[in-house]
Amino acid sequence: MATVRGTLRSTETRESEGSGDTIGDARIAATAALDLDGFELLQVTTVTSKATGESTVRAVARSTATREHEATGPTYEAALQAFRASIPEGWQAQYAHEVRD
């Protein structure tokens, strides 16, 4: 019997937009609109920027939630296939390794 263990990370993201007289002001507004509790800022992108200086920025944050995951099978290949197949929707594997007893 083989066992594969690893860590899963949530794929949940949050987005917000903010506007301001400058790109810096828009970035601050977009970031402030995000609830970053349990999330980390991933990306800040300028959506529009006018000649007057007014800008709109989109901020994206991703979840920092992780959890352990495990699957077994008669062989390593079967255990790895079971590990991958049993990853719940909204999660992705960060890494997996074989556990030897």
Side-chain angles (χ1 to χ4, degrees), residues 15 32 58-60 76 91:
E15 292 185 19
R58 177 177 298 123
V60 179
Y76 169 75
W91 293 83

Side-chain angles (χ1 to χ4, degrees), residues 47-61:
V47 178
T48 60
S49 187
K50 298 180 181 176
T52 60
E54 185 180 344
S55 299
T56 302
V57 169
R58 177 177 298 123
V60 179

